[in-house]
């Protein structure tokens, strides 16, 4: 309503205003409730008129949000000269700002005097040009390019793309890549159905530079981060092109409570535009600049360490719960490692990082509060929720360890080498020595132990290899206790986790803000009876994958059920009362599972005959539908959660 505010403030006079923010219930679908405002406006503009402003707080209302008295007699929150609003871009009626804050807006230089704020580009078709980085072939991704020329010379197709993301400060939210092959030739010439070229606002002179970025739209608070070399920017990932000498100082300021304070006045919504950042009063204090830079650099380092600790980062090296070789003596390798000890080490590391970050942020707040003279308005304290490096969480971290183990089973990771090993590149068996990946890209998940090399057997082998034999059972018990699933033994608990929860967790881990689930391990699933489940790795998919799953695993599973049913029938015919009852119940379950497998086999057979291969560049959503659609166009749902994952049919 900028035009309305401008008209009122330039032609009329606000004499009195009473604001009742966030009273009672209700609000928009986003949870926003600006409350109610009542004002007396004189139909003439009186220069330098000082209006009275009152705010009724929650403690002045009853349980239903109704004020005890209205208006509150002889009480004014602020007395403000209307001309003060002229000093703020967009002329918000930010009556709560003190006179000193208006003076800063009037007298100091603004952020735009030191940095060029820009909104990122619009691709015209994100479904076509944007992917999560972990979807595509890793060899086609170009990281940390420093110029358009270097990017073109690399002959890479996908490059890091900043799209904002969740509330996170200092570093992170690096999830996307964009098709900028041949300097974005295809995107820049792409035409929609009307024949128009919708892609625009490329800001080519700024791409691939290290910069500061922030979320344009957020569900909580504004947050700023450092962006390394090599990024392009989306419209929702606005950025500031800052001279290198001011970059760390700028980021420290943008992550401070002073910036949050002014932004809440400039823009009370959750959609922060580049103009809001550009109009911030910006003071460079040369005396305190070295200290600010040092705190900022350390905060970025801490945030980067946290982000890179989990596999959602393209700089992930190894899981943090794996034994750390430089902390143990030679005898420990002989005995093995207790996973609980590894978790305790990780917990201590996280806690140290968390409280160091909190200390840094509060010190930066103190510095900028002092620079801006806002000691009477702001406190330097930072609540734990606003510290965006993670504390250790046993449940989450054990589940992420299991996810890493699955990656090792498929060859995505290796216990012998750090980082991403296989994601569509040429297979190199020399990368795997201590723990050998599955040979045919299929790991069955069964509700009972029918095969030694099913997913539970392989996971036990992983734990034995990573932590040693001596503490194997203790480590499995520790994992089972953390998972909290049903089961009489640790292996049963782990089996039930794989059967019921792993794929849901995987979809949650490999999901991207605003774009949904992008799993890279795909689950063959026959249905509610758990007759047949098996995981495959998307990056190892080929035209024979479905046929191999059907012949080597689904058919074998049916044979197992047939033999087990015969054993149950034998027990029914020759057992005693208790044995007969147990065998009868188990037979009933097996019969249902066998029927489900046979019905499922018909669907799998139809797809297997089509021998469907995939193109990793198409991404998860397109390929998930593609591999379940026969050459005749018939869709056969053979993979789990299809409706939630695959692209909508066009």
């Amino acid at each position: 309503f900028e035009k309305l505010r401008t008209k009122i403030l330039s032609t009329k006079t606000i004499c009195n205003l009473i604001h009742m923010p966030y009273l009672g219930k209700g609000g928009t679908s986003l949870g926003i409730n600006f409350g109610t405002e009542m004002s007396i406006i004189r139909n003439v503009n009186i220069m330098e008129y000082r209006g009275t402003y009152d705010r009724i707080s929650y403690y002045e209302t009853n349980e239903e949000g109704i004020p005890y008295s209205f208006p509150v007699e002889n009480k004014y929150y602020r007395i403000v000269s209307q001309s003060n609003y002229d000093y703020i871009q967009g002329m918000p009626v930010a009556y709560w700002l003190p006179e000193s804050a208006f003076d800063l807006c009037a007298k100091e230089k603004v952020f735009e005097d030191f940095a060029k704020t820009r909104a990122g580009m619009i691709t015209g078709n994100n479904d076509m040009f944007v992917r999560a980085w972990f979807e595509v072939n890793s060899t086609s991704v170009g990281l940390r390019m420093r110029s358009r020329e270097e990017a073109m010379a690399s002959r890479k197709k996908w490059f890091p793309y900043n799209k904002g993301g969740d509330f996170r400060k200092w570093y992170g939210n690096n999830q996307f890549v964009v098709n900028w092959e041949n300097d974005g030739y295809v995107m820049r010439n792409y035409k929609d159905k009307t024949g128009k070229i919708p892609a625009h606002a490329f800001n080519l002179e700024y791409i691939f530079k290290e910069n500061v970025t922030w979320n344009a739209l957020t569900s909580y608070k504004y947050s700023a981060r450092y962006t390394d070399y090599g990024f392009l920017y989306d419209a929702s990932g606005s950025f500031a092109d800052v001279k290198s000498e001011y970059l760390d100082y700028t980021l420290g300021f943008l992550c401070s409570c002073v910036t949050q304070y002014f932004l809440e006045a400039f823009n009370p919504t959750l959609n922060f535009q580049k103009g809001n950042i550009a109009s911030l009063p910006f003071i460079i204090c040369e005396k305190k600049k070295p200290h600010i830079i040092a705190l900022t650099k350390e905060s970025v380092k801490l945030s980067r360490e946290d982000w890179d600790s989990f596999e959602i980062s393209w700089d992930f090296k190894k899981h943090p719960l794996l034994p750390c070789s430089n902390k143990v003596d030679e005898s420990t390798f002989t005995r093995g490692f207790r996973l609980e000890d590894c978790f305790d080490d990780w917990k201590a590391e996280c806690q140290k990082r968390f409280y160091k970050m909190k200390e840094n942020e509060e010190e930066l707040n103190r510095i900028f509060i002092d620079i801006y003279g806002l000691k009477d308005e702001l406190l330097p304290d930072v609540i734990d929720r606003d510290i965006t490096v993670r504390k250790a969480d046993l449940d989450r971290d054990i589940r992420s360890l299991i996810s890493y183990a699955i990656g090792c089973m498929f060859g995505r990771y290796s216990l012998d080498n750090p980082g991403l090993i296989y994601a569509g590149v040429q297979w190199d068996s020399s990368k795997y020595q201590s723990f050998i990946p599955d040979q045919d890209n299929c790991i069955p998940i069964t509700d009972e132990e029918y095969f030694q090399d099913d997913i539970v057997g392989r996971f036990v082998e992983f734990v034995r290899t990573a932590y040693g034999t001596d503490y194997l059972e203790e480590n499995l018990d520790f994992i089972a206790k953390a998972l909290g699933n049903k089961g009489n033994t640790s292996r049963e608990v782990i089996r039930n986790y794989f059967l019921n929860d792993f794929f849901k967790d995987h979809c949650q881990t490999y999901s991207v803000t605003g774009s949904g689930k992008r799993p890279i391990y795909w689950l063959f699933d026959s249905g509610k009876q758990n007759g047949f489940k098996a995981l495959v790795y998307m990056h190892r998919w080929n035209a024979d994958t479905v046929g191999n799953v059907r012949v080597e695993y689904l058919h074998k599973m049916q044979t197992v059920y047939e033999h087990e049913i015969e054993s149950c029938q034998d027990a029914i015919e020759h057992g005693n009362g208790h044995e007969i009852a147990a065998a009868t119940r188990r037979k009933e379950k097996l019969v249902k599972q066998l029927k489900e497998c046979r019905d499922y086999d018909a669907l799998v057979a139809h797809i297997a005959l089509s021998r469907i291969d995939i193109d990793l560049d198409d991404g998860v959503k397109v390929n998930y539908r593609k591999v379940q659609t026969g050459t005749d166009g018939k869709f056969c749902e053979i993979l789990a959660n299809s409706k939630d994952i695959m692209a909508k049919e066009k």
Side-chain angles (χ1 to χ4, degrees):
F1 299 103
E2 181 178 349
K3 290 182 180 179
L4 175 62
R5 290 195 303 275
T6 302
K7 182 177 181 180
I8 291 174
L9 295 174
S10 60
T11 62
K12 309 180 190 308
T13 303
I14 299 176
C15 299
N16 312 91
L17 185 147
I18 297 175
H19 186 203
M20 296 173 287
Y22 303 99
L23 299 182
K25 300 179 180 179
T28 69
S29 59
L30 290 176
I32 300 171
N33 177 7
F34 297 114
T36 303
E37 174 272 342
M38 184 180 74
S39 56
I40 298 173
I41 301 177
R42 188 167 179 177
N43 198 23
V44 62
N45 186 256
I46 304 174
M47 298 294 291
E48 301 301 325
Y49 185 87
R50 291 168 62 80
T52 59
Y53 295 82
D54 190 15
R55 187 206 305 253
I56 296 179
S57 303
Y58 71 92
Y59 53 81
E60 297 168 324
T61 68
N62 62 23
E63 293 181 356
E64 297 178 354
I66 299 174
Y68 293 119
S69 64
F70 182 82
V72 179
E73 191 173 355
N74 298 322
K75 176 190 173 185
Y76 299 118
Y77 183 80
R78 286 275 196 268
I79 298 176
V80 182
S81 173
Q82 184 167 300
S83 61
N84 283 342
Y85 304 135
D86 295 340
Y87 302 136
I88 307 175
Q89 184 186 49
M91 301 179 75
V93 184
Y95 63 86
W96 55 88
L97 291 179
E99 199 69 29
S100 59
F102 285 117
D103 288 343
L104 287 169
C105 294
K107 298 175 182 178
E108 297 295 341
K109 290 185 176 182
V110 294
F111 187 79
E112 195 172 31
D113 293 331
F114 295 87
K116 297 175 182 178
T117 59
R118 297 289 184 269
M121 66 186 185
I122 295 175
T123 68
N125 189 335
N126 277 359
D127 288 341
M128 178 179 293
F129 296 112
V130 180
R131 298 284 180 267
W133 73 267
F134 46 77
E135 294 180 88
V136 300
N137 188 319
S138 60
T139 60
S140 64
V141 178
L143 299 177
R144 297 180 177 86
M145 301 293 165
R146 291 176 177 257
S147 67
R148 294 168 63 188
E149 292 74 22
E150 183 179 353
M152 288 186 67
S154 72
R155 299 186 179 276
K156 302 291 185 180
K157 180 173 183 177
W158 303 97
F159 297 89
Y161 192 51
N162 195 313
K163 278 178 59 66
D166 297 327
F167 174 69
R168 184 176 176 88
K169 291 180 285 187
W170 304 111
Y171 183 85
N173 285 355
N174 304 329
Q175 296 179 306
F176 294 96
V177 289
V178 65
N179 181 353
W180 197 252
E181 188 175 22
N182 195 22
D183 204 34
Y185 178 83
V186 175
M187 181 199 301
R188 293 161 66 188
N189 292 277
Y190 164 75
K191 295 181 180 180
D192 61 19
K193 293 180 180 179
T194 66
K196 296 180 180 179
I197 298 179
H200 63 277
F202 298 112
N203 289 312
L204 298 182
E205 63 269 38
Y206 304 112
I207 63 175
F208 298 126
K209 293 182 178 181
E210 61 173 351
N211 281 317
V212 176
T213 185
W214 59 88
N215 299 7
L217 182 63
T218 174
S219 60
Y220 179 50
K221 289 183 180 179
Y222 142 93
S223 58
R225 291 173 299 282
Y226 166 74
T227 302
D228 208 343
Y229 291 101
F231 277 78
L232 295 96
Y233 297 86
D234 184 79
S236 59
S238 300
F239 65 96
D241 183 57
V242 189
K243 292 181 179 179
S244 58
E245 62 185 292
Y246 295 120
L247 192 145
D248 293 311
Y249 186 99
T250 297
L251 180 58
F253 168 69
L254 291 178
C255 286
S256 73
C257 64
V258 171
T259 293
Q260 185 72 36
Y261 175 72
F262 279 108
L263 285 178
E264 287 174 356
F266 293 0
N267 185 350
T269 73
L270 298 175
N271 190 0
F272 297 102
Q273 304 299 319
K274 64 184 181 68
N276 303 136
I277 305 295
S279 59
L280 289 168
F282 193 56
I283 304 172
I284 294 180
C285 180
E286 294 295 339
K287 181 179 179 181
K288 297 180 180 180
K289 182 180 174 183
H291 189 30
I292 292 171
I293 289 174
L295 289 169
T296 298
K297 284 184 178 294
E298 184 176 39
S299 298
V300 171
K301 178 177 178 291
L302 293 171
S303 185
R304 189 194 291 263
E305 288 173 355
D306 171 71
W307 180 259
D308 292 343
S309 293
F310 294 93
E311 60 185 87
I312 204 66
S313 166
W314 51 56
D315 288 320
F316 170 73
K317 299 302 181 185
K318 71 169 190 172
H319 196 274
L321 294 188
L322 287 180
C324 186
S325 58
N326 62 1
K327 290 185 178 180
V328 295
D329 56 33
E330 189 66 30
S331 62
T332 306
F333 285 101
T334 305
R335 298 195 309 270
F337 302 85
R338 296 174 72 248
L339 178 54
E340 185 173 4
D341 293 339
C342 295
F343 176 76
D344 288 342
D345 289 342
W346 166 243
K347 184 177 180 180
E349 178 185 334
C350 287
Q351 188 164 339
K352 181 180 178 181
R353 179 164 50 230
F354 184 92
Y355 287 108
K356 183 58 181 175
M357 181 69 85
K358 185 180 178 77
E359 178 185 321
N360 285 1
E361 291 192 13
E362 291 182 343
E363 178 63 12
L364 281 166
N365 284 344
R366 273 188 286 271
I367 293 172
F368 282 107
I369 287 172
D370 183 59
I371 291 173
Y372 281 76
L374 294 171
K375 290 181 180 179
D376 295 334
E377 297 294 321
L378 295 174
L379 293 173
D381 302 350
V382 181
I383 61 175
D384 284 1
R385 180 184 178 186
D386 289 349
I387 303 298
T388 53
V389 295
R390 291 160 284 196
K391 290 183 177 180
D393 182 289
L394 180 59
D395 177 70
R396 180 203 66 201
D397 297 337
I398 288 297
R399 290 169 189 252
S400 73
L401 175 65
I402 294 173
S403 176
Y404 176 77
I406 297 298
C408 290
M409 293 179 202
F410 282 119
R412 181 174 178 82
Y413 306 113
S414 168
L415 287 175
D416 307 301
N417 293 279
L420 185 62
I421 304 300
Y422 184 86
V425 299
Q426 186 172 355
W427 187 269
D428 184 356
S429 58
S430 67
K431 297 286 186 179
Y432 316 96
Q433 299 296 322
S434 57
F435 185 78
I436 308 301
D438 185 77
Q439 292 186 351
D440 56 4
N441 189 32
C442 182
I443 304 175
I445 304 173
T446 58
D447 63 350
E448 296 182 35
E449 185 181 354
Y450 297 119
F451 311 105
Q452 288 186 342
D453 62 345
D454 69 359
I455 200 162
V456 177
R458 294 243 56 197
F459 180 71
V460 171
E461 181 188 351
F462 169 85
V463 175
R464 179 186 291 110
T465 304
Y467 297 92
T469 302
D470 286 6
Y471 296 109
L472 175 62
E473 297 305 321
E474 181 180 342
N475 288 338
L476 292 176
D477 290 343
F478 184 75
I479 292 168
K481 185 177 180 180
L483 293 174
N485 289 66
K486 294 180 180 180
N488 295 320
T489 67
S490 59
R491 285 169 174 77
E492 287 182 11
V493 171
I494 293 168
R495 184 175 299 280
N496 283 325
Y497 171 73
F498 280 120
L499 197 67
N500 300 310
D501 298 324
F502 170 76
F503 190 66
K504 289 185 289 186
D505 286 348
H506 176 62
C507 288
Q508 183 63 35
T509 299
Y510 282 81
S511 62
V512 288
T513 304
S515 299
K517 302 169 183 176
R518 308 285 180 93
I520 58 172
Y521 309 130
W522 294 353
L523 180 65
F524 282 80
D525 188 359
S526 63
K528 295 180 179 179
Q529 301 300 327
N530 293 324
F532 181 79
K533 289 181 186 287
L535 283 176
V536 299
Y537 180 26
M538 169 188 176
H539 290 76
R540 290 178 61 184
W541 186 285
N542 60 48
D544 295 319
T545 294
V546 177
N548 178 65
V549 170
R550 179 179 181 239
V551 174
E552 298 298 327
Y553 293 91
L554 179 56
H555 287 176
K556 287 183 179 179
M557 198 71 244
Q558 293 178 63
T559 301
V560 167
Y561 287 145
E562 289 168 354
H563 290 161
E564 292 296 316
I565 289 171
E566 290 176 3
S567 298
C568 288
Q569 184 60 39
D570 185 64
I572 292 170
E573 293 175 357
H574 301 95
N576 57 36
H578 177 74
E579 292 172 343
I580 291 173
T584 300
R585 288 193 300 271
R586 186 161 185 266
K587 179 184 176 183
E588 289 174 354
K589 184 199 76 166
L590 292 167
V591 167
K592 291 178 182 179
Q593 289 180 314
L594 178 59
K595 181 182 183 304
E596 184 178 82
C597 282
R598 287 171 175 167
D599 294 341
Y600 184 63
D601 186 37
L603 297 176
V604 176
H606 185 83
I607 298 299
L609 289 173
S610 299
R611 299 189 71 250
I612 304 164
D613 205 350
I614 66 173
D615 184 343
L616 291 174
D617 284 343
D618 289 337
V620 169
K621 288 182 174 292
V622 169
N623 283 317
Y624 215 70
R625 176 178 288 280
K626 179 181 178 181
V627 299
Q628 299 180 85
T629 306
T631 52
D632 58 355
K634 180 182 177 181
F635 177 76
C636 298
E637 188 172 359
I638 61 174
L639 299 177
N641 288 17
S642 295
K643 292 181 181 179
D644 295 335
I645 297 170
M646 63 189 183
K648 294 181 179 179
E649 190 173 13
K650 296 181 180 180

